[in-house]
Amino acid sequence: MPKGGRKSTTWEPGWNGGKTTLIRVPIVLKDDVLAYARAVDSKLISDKSRNIPMLKGDFLQEFTLGLIDRYIEFKRHNYHPNQNSRKLDTSTRPWDELRKFQRLIQETPELLKE
């Protein structure tokens, strides 16, 4: 008679990559590390191949656009009104390059490949 508890369950594994392991990361990095791991895991092909693909497209694009949005919000929060403007205006010439970069990432991110 076999020893031990239940040998099988009805729940499906939560990761496409197979078995998991426990790691320790700083709490402030937890959400970012999990988001990265989920993005990599979602790119694994259904045959459980162990080849981890390079991150590209959605994850990197969303991450970069999120950083740009966070930067603009940071500047808006730390903006000091002057005689020309009481609110941050990202449509002015000093913001041209950031807007071009943001549009490039949104519309044609493949141009940034090596």
Side-chain angles (χ1 to χ4, degrees):
M1 180 184 230
K3 293 183 182 179
R6 180 175 246 169
K7 297 289 184 202
S8 67
T9 62
T10 57
W11 59 273
E12 292 292 321
W15 294 89
N16 295 325
K19 292 185 176 184
T20 62
T21 186
L22 182 68
I23 63 168
R24 292 174 55 107
V25 296
I27 292 172
V28 297
L29 298 178
K30 181 185 86 164
D31 293 334
D32 292 334
V33 170
L34 280 172
Y36 176 81
R38 289 282 178 200
V40 170
D41 189 61
S42 70
K43 302 284 186 201
L44 292 175
I45 54 178
S46 60
D47 71 351
K48 309 286 189 213
S49 169
R50 296 295 178 241
N51 296 326
I52 304 289
M54 293 294 292
L55 281 182
K56 59 184 181 222
D58 325 328
F59 177 78
L60 190 55
Q61 185 179 17
E62 289 177 30
F63 178 75
T64 306
L65 290 172
L67 283 178
I68 292 171
D69 291 341
R70 285 172 60 184
Y71 175 73
I72 291 171
E73 192 54 40
F74 168 79
K75 293 297 280 185
R76 191 178 319 277
H77 180 37
N78 293 302
Y79 183 73
H80 299 290
N82 60 31
Q83 64 186 15
N84 299 321
S85 174
R86 292 186 176 256
K87 291 178 11 182
L88 181 68
D89 183 8
T90 58
S91 65
T92 60
R93 286 192 57 84
W95 289 88
D96 282 353
E97 288 302 315
L98 184 65
R99 283 195 314 276
K100 286 179 191 175
F101 180 60
Q102 188 177 30
R103 192 168 34 255
L104 174 72
I105 293 170
Q106 289 171 335
E107 296 172 4
T108 53
E110 62 277 359
L111 294 177
L112 297 174
K113 288 183 180 177
E114 291 184 53

